């Protein structure tokens, strides 16, 4: 039996500059894919993985995210009095039943690794998951994180979600190389294509040991002058095993305009209410 994974850290303190001006006053994690904000899709995936505790690492301008998961008394009583019960249910279940939410601030934008370290006082000395809500992984089965948590529960294996990327895109990702047992042997943040150890890139799902906190507290600033989660993990590779998890389904990079639009099209096409007419419209407007 391994210490259970019941906590996910969601680093959401970033500025979202790629979506300005939309993200001037709205956190990028609140941008909707069809009718649910990215942050809610991440929390729902965590729920499917059996996670009970969500830790948001936020910054000053991100209050809307906390509000989204909180009770909105006025809205709920209006919907109730108008007997809009489906809508009421949608509003009430933004945080799935049985989940609790904690919020911690990242006082300075010092990088993803630093954001994860900010969650230490809440997570404590136990294994946990990290999800980056920008990386929307559309898997109609169990979900990417559920598969990773299941792997951990079975074998005690820590893992990172990975996918192949074109070599000219390695400088946008953490890139791993594997040893002959298929374990992660090396990991480097945003390598230039000519020096990348492979084209296997990490996308935003991690199942990590408690030791990562100590590692993050001691690593030096790396790529972009930031404390990188990648460097923290890399410093543990000599003593801990990490596995790559090639997930099922499709990953949309919702931190980019193209990926965000693709996600909206995919979700729109299978929506029961608008799917058919949306498809017809797309055909007519090719
Ligand atoms: C972060 C990580 C990177 C990872 C990527 C996945 O980078 O630092 O290792 O590959 O997320 O989306 P960011 O996209 O925040 O620059």
């Amino acid at each position: 039996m391994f210490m259970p994974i019941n906590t996910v850290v969601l680093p959401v303190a970033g500025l979202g500059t790629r979506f300005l001006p939309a993200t001037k006053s709205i956190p990028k994690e609140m941008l909707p894919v069809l009718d649910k904000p990215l942050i809610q899709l991440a929390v729902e995936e965590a729920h499917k993985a059996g996670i009970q505790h969500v830790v948001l690492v936020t910054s000053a301008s991100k209050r809307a995210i906390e509000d989204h998961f909180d009770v909105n008394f006025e809205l709920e009583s209006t919907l109730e009095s108008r007997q809009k019960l489906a809508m009421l249910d949608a509003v009430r279940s933004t945080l799935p039943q049985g989940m609790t939410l904690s919020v911690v601030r990242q006082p300075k934008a010092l990088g993803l690794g630093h954001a994860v370290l900010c969650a230490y006082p809440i997570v404590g000395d136990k294994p946990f998951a990290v999800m980056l809500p920008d990386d929307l992984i559309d898997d109609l089965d169990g979900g990417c994180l559920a598969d990773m948590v299941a792997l951990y529960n079975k074998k005690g294996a820590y893992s990172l979600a990975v996918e192949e990327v074109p070599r000219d895109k390695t400088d946008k990702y953490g890139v791993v190389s594997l040893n002959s047992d298929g374990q992660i042997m090396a990991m480097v943040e945003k390598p230039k294509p000519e020096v990348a150890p492979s084209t296997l890139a990490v996308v935003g799902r991690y199942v990590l040991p408690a030791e990562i906190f100590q590692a993050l507290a001691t690593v030096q600033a790396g790529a972009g002058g930031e404390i990188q989660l990648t460097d923290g993990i890399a410093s543990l590779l000599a003593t801990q095993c990490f596995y790559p998890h090639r997930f099922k389904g499709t990953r949309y990079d919702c931190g980019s305009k193209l990926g965000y639009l693709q996600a909206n099209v995919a979700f729109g096409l299978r929506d029961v209410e608008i799917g058919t007419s949306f498809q017809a419209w797309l055909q007519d407007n090719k």
Side-chain angles (χ1 to χ4, degrees):
M1 239 344 238
F2 306 101
M3 206 190 270
I5 305 270
N6 54 26
T7 305
V8 68
V9 173
L10 298 176
V12 294
L15 284 177
T17 47
R18 278 194 273 173
F19 280 94
L20 283 170
T23 47
K24 184 178 172 190
S25 65
I26 298 169
K28 65 174 173 161
E29 297 80 8
M30 287 301 295
L31 295 175
V33 174
L34 203 56
D35 53 6
K36 285 183 185 170
L38 283 164
I39 188 77
Q40 187 178 338
L41 294 167
V43 167
E44 287 179 0
E45 185 185 328
H47 181 65
K48 285 204 274 175
I51 301 280
Q52 288 144 2
H53 190 190
V54 176
V55 182
L56 295 176
V57 183
T58 70
S59 59
S61 58
K62 300 284 179 142
R63 185 143 288 158
I65 300 179
E66 290 164 60
D67 291 346
H68 183 71
F69 292 111
D70 202 353
V71 174
N72 182 333
F73 184 74
E74 206 181 334
L75 177 61
E76 288 180 28
S77 63
T78 307
L79 292 172
E80 203 162 12
S81 65
R82 293 185 189 164
Q83 286 294 297
K84 302 274 189 198
L85 298 184
M87 279 182 206
L88 182 63
D89 183 52
V91 165
R92 280 189 174 152
S93 57
T94 49
L95 188 65
Q97 224 177 10
M99 288 186 112
T100 55
L101 184 117
S102 305
V103 179
V104 63
R105 288 274 178 103
Q106 183 185 18
K108 275 188 184 167
L110 297 180
L112 177 59
H114 177 258
V116 171
L117 183 57
C118 290
Y120 176 59
I122 299 181
V123 178
D125 289 308
K126 50 185 205 242
F128 64 103
V130 174
M131 294 175 81
L132 309 182
D134 275 5
D135 279 328
L136 172 56
I137 299 185
D138 186 25
D139 166 16
L140 295 174
D141 291 339
C144 174
L145 193 67
D147 290 342
M148 293 168 71
V149 169
L151 183 74
Y152 170 84
N153 288 335
K154 207 164 138 199
K155 296 185 174 170
Y158 301 111
S159 63
L160 318 179
V162 294
E163 75 177 352
E164 287 290 342
V165 296
R167 186 160 277 276
D168 65 354
K169 298 274 184 315
T170 56
D171 59 356
K172 297 195 172 356
Y173 296 94
V175 175
V176 297
S177 60
L178 309 181
N179 65 18
S180 53
D181 294 330
Q183 295 163 3
I184 295 173
M185 187 172 75
M187 186 169 177
V188 32
E189 182 68 9
K190 303 201 168 75
K192 293 209 168 79
E194 54 279 18
V195 294
S198 79
T199 49
L200 199 55
V202 175
V203 301
R205 304 289 181 277
Y206 308 76
V207 170
L208 299 173
E211 287 79 4
I212 190 67
F213 290 122
Q214 183 59 38
L216 290 171
T218 46
V219 287
Q220 301 293 311
E226 298 187 333
I227 308 281
Q228 296 291 352
L229 181 57
T230 293
D231 296 339
I233 297 169
S235 75
L236 294 178
L237 289 174
T239 50
Q240 304 250 15
C241 290
F242 288 84
Y243 290 85
H245 174 66
R246 292 178 170 83
F247 52 89
K248 291 178 275 175
T250 307
R251 171 229 174 204
Y252 298 101
D253 174 10
C254 290
S256 78
K257 289 175 188 168
L258 181 62
Y260 177 71
L261 279 181
Q262 288 166 337
N264 270 288
V265 170
F267 277 53
L269 282 174
R270 66 162 186 258
D271 184 70
V272 276
E273 202 184 313
I274 63 154
T276 312
S277 29
F278 184 42
Q279 181 153 35
W281 182 83
L282 283 177
Q283 290 286 356
D284 292 348
N285 291 278
K286 263 205 266 187

